[in-house]
Amino acid sequence: MEFRILGPLEASAGGRELSLGGPKPRALLALLLLHSNEIVPADRLIDELWGEDSPDDAAAALRVNISRLRKALPDDVLATKSPGYVLGIEPEAVDLHRFERLVDDGRRLMGSGLAADASQRLRDALSLWRGPALADFAYESFAQAAIARLEEIRVTAVELRIEADLALGRDDALVGELEALVAEHPLRERLRTYLMTALYRSGRQAEALKVYQDARRALVDTLGIEPSTALRDLERAILRHDPALEAPAAPRFAEAAERSILVAVTDETLVDALLAVVEPLVRDPQRVVILARLVSDAGELRAASAWLEEHRSALQARGVVARAASFTSTAPGKDLARLATELDAELLLADAPPGLLAEGAPDEQLAAVLADTPCDVALLVRREAMPTGPVLVPFGGAEHDWAAVELGAWLARAADEPLRLAGAAAVPEQGRRDASRLLSHGALAVQRVLGISTEPLLTAPGEEGMLEASRDASRLVVGLSTRWHHEGLGPARLRLARHATPPTLLVRRGLRPGGLAPPATLTRFTWSIRA
């Protein structure tokens, strides 16, 4: 299911747009989406939908519209729960929640000094907007507060993205956009600040000072207040040509950072299994393998360094560029995430700790890795046998599934193996169609970008069908849900991790471009194949 309110209201299921009926069922759905997974009392729904013009039997009228909406939605999405109704959906099913998560990511990346990543993340967030939020309810009283709030968070996201672009020295390109935004929002001082900065850095000092005078006039005439201290300080800094206003050095993508994969070795007996995964990935195009071994006791450091050097030398002898890092750590999870950040790694590969398979949830150290590492994280569940065959990816179209497709495609290309995307077969008695349309979408996208042989495969519903499908695969690549914080692996993924035949990689989607993206890209490969 997918619901979109950042524009006209839309809903789809299985790639098919849903017909939501007339104005009242659509308005009812909009109300429930604004409070998804919350019980909304019937009295409140009646008041919001009809206000003072409610019909004589408003409760019956509401039930009629609830019934109409239920017919339009898949089973069990809309439930009756005293004293009202609840729309039970995954947060990621609503474009608003995806937007807010992306904006939070962008804000965190800016706080970490990763302006390029923040800019792209915020562009991804803003691309979800298809026009004014809830555009078809612009004159409905129930939607006014929500529309105002959504517009506020949109403009805030735009401001944050412009801040990131200014940090990247994109001043000339921002002037026109900022002039339009200031005209639309004349009392937002932050936009005036950004426009003054962009003009000054573009050699247009007089125009920058005029923006200040226009801002002061608008604030005094409209609100009777003087500009903020920050705006006044900026005017003074421009007048004295403060060196602090100069643009940062432009990024030099021609000298891009070394492309690398970080391999975290937590158990020395598993290093061969990890290298069997990573070695093909770093050969075409060439990347660097970074072997990392963190120890808790300083007395172990010398032996760990010698052991790493032995494996680094062996990789070098096989034509793989390799480096090694070993150090003591009392918080290995956070230190691994920090190392991946400093190296600008494209992938962090580690073995899946036994506790993850036993409990189905990450421990404190693994949770730190999953929460703080900016690139994709792949956890390897090794098997004794190394079968041959296609790379199998269970695919449901969610963002974490696309991350698994990306890594699966990378593995398939490196090993010259086909990529197989698997989804559930039809269940006619339950009215469920098969996933072939979704699988073909994914297969076509991968073929279009990479030219990799991609096979759709329909399996029996549930993990049993996927386990059977994995028997002739060389590797199984499974995306971790974004809800891993609360749900861990989840029962289906846990069963696959425990019992699948081939080595299994559990992939947590990262913020940074993946391993198949061009070296200087500011977007993830997954966004490219979904375009």
Side-chain angles (χ1 to χ4, degrees):
M1 284 294 301
E2 184 177 359
F3 298 93
R4 296 176 289 278
I5 64 175
L6 302 181
L9 176 65
E10 294 177 350
S12 61
R16 178 177 60 88
E17 291 296 320
L18 300 180
S19 176
L20 301 174
K24 281 295 186 244
R26 292 177 61 83
L28 177 59
L29 177 59
L31 271 168
L32 292 168
L33 282 170
L34 291 170
H35 304 280
S36 58
N37 299 306
E38 301 175 13
I39 299 174
V40 185
D43 289 346
R44 178 176 179 183
L45 291 172
I46 291 169
D47 184 57
E48 296 280 15
L49 288 172
W50 287 283
E52 296 179 356
D53 298 324
S54 60
D56 293 337
D57 194 349
L62 176 61
R63 287 195 296 271
V64 168
N65 283 283
I66 287 286
S67 177
R68 290 172 179 168
L69 187 56
R70 278 202 175 109
K71 291 177 181 178
L73 300 176
D75 294 342
D76 303 326
V77 172
L78 178 54
T80 302
K81 289 191 177 180
S82 181
Y85 303 91
V86 60
L87 192 70
I89 55 176
E90 300 292 341
E92 288 290 303
V94 185
D95 58 356
L96 170 61
H97 299 314
R98 297 198 300 276
F99 170 79
E100 290 178 323
R101 176 176 56 78
L102 289 165
V103 171
D104 287 343
D105 289 344
R107 186 176 287 108
R108 180 164 59 83
L109 287 164
M110 276 298 291
S112 300
L114 302 171
D117 290 336
S119 174
Q120 184 56 50
R121 201 63 167 166
L122 292 159
R123 288 176 191 276
D124 292 338
L126 292 163
S127 71
L128 295 174
W129 286 72
R130 297 166 291 112
L134 297 169
D136 34 358
F137 304 105
Y139 301 105
E140 298 288 343
S141 59
F142 80 86
Q144 298 310 301
I147 289 173
R149 182 181 75 86
L150 292 172
E151 177 61 15
E152 174 63 26
I153 65 173
R154 184 192 70 82
V155 177
T156 299
V158 170
E159 290 176 338
L160 190 58
R161 194 221 82 220
I162 289 172
E163 181 182 345
D165 286 346
L166 284 171
L168 295 168
R170 299 171 180 170
D171 312 292
D172 287 335
L174 289 171
V175 169
E177 179 186 7
L178 281 165
E179 287 176 337
L181 286 168
V182 165
E184 185 179 357
H185 305 280
L187 301 181
R188 293 187 78 99
E189 292 187 66
R190 181 175 295 181
L191 290 174
R192 300 269 191 178
T193 297
Y194 293 156
L195 178 55
M196 290 171 66
T197 302
L199 285 168
Y200 177 76
R201 289 177 178 176
S202 302
R204 299 161 68 176
Q205 177 183 349
E207 293 173 71
L209 293 171
K210 183 178 183 301
V211 170
Y212 174 81
Q213 294 300 327
D214 291 343
R216 183 178 182 278
R217 188 177 305 110
L219 290 166
V220 170
D221 291 349
T222 305
L223 303 177
I225 60 174
E226 290 288 335
S228 67
T229 301
L231 205 58
R232 295 198 302 271
D233 287 347
L234 178 58
E235 183 208 25
R236 286 192 289 267
I238 289 172
L239 288 169
R240 66 173 183 269
H241 297 281
D242 191 333
L245 295 178
E246 295 301 322
R252 299 174 64 186
F253 293 117
E255 299 178 10
E258 178 178 76
R259 305 191 80 176
S260 63
I261 298 176
L262 177 62
V263 180
V265 183
T266 57
D267 184 338
E268 293 182 357
T269 65
L270 302 180
V271 66
D272 290 338
L274 292 169
L275 293 181
V277 173
V278 77
E279 194 167 337
L281 297 180
V282 298
R283 291 186 179 275
D284 181 26
Q286 190 176 71
R287 291 171 173 79
V288 178
V289 175
I290 310 291
L291 298 173
R293 182 82 169 97
L294 278 59
V295 297
S296 58
D297 186 346
E300 303 172 12
L301 188 58
R302 184 174 180 180
S305 296
W307 182 87
L308 279 182
E309 177 57 29
E310 179 183 338
H311 284 80
R312 188 196 71 82
S313 298
L315 284 169
Q316 294 274 110
R318 297 196 294 270
V320 174
V321 179
R323 313 198 200 293
S326 182
F327 54 91
T328 61
S329 173
T330 57
K334 288 189 174 297
D335 284 337
L336 277 175
R338 187 178 298 111
L339 185 60
T341 302
E342 293 170 352
L343 294 171
D344 199 18
E346 296 174 327
L347 175 69
L348 191 159
L349 176 65
D351 56 278
L356 179 64
L357 300 186
E359 304 296 332
D363 60 16
E364 180 182 358
Q365 298 307 324
L366 179 56
V369 170
L370 296 176
D372 297 337
T373 304
C375 61
D376 288 351
V377 175
L379 305 173
L380 174 65
V381 183
R382 73 183 184 103
R383 313 293 183 200
E384 293 302 324
M386 288 290 291
T388 58
V391 177
L392 179 66
V393 181
F395 184 65
E399 287 190 17
H400 57 269
D401 292 327
W402 284 101
V405 170
E406 181 175 345
L407 181 56
W410 191 3
L411 289 165
R413 187 178 74 173
D416 195 23
E417 296 172 341
L419 175 67
R420 184 173 289 172
L421 304 185
V427 186
E429 59 272 22
Q430 297 179 12
R432 295 183 183 177
R433 60 170 295 167
D434 64 46
S436 59
R437 183 180 300 179
L438 182 63
L439 298 180
S440 67
H441 172 61
L444 286 170
V446 175
Q447 292 172 61
R448 183 177 68 245
V449 176
L450 296 173
I452 291 174
S453 173
T454 307
E455 307 169 358
L457 174 67
L458 293 174
T459 69
E463 56 267 32
E464 285 298 333
M466 201 61 66
L467 285 171
E468 180 63 30
S470 75
R471 295 189 189 283
D472 65 346
S474 64
R475 289 186 178 87
L476 176 65
V477 186
V478 182
L480 283 182
S481 167
T482 54
R483 301 183 301 279
W484 64 264
H485 310 76
H486 310 296
E487 300 177 4
L489 296 185
R493 292 183 188 84
L494 182 58
R495 184 163 172 73
L496 291 176
R498 286 174 174 171
H499 302 296
T501 301
T504 300
L505 287 155
L506 304 169
V507 186
R508 189 235 59 190
R509 184 185 185 280
L511 302 176
R512 287 188 175 172
L516 292 178
T521 188
L522 292 180
T523 63
R524 289 188 52 89
F525 170 73
T526 40
W527 301 94
S528 299
I529 64 175
R530 295 176 71 178

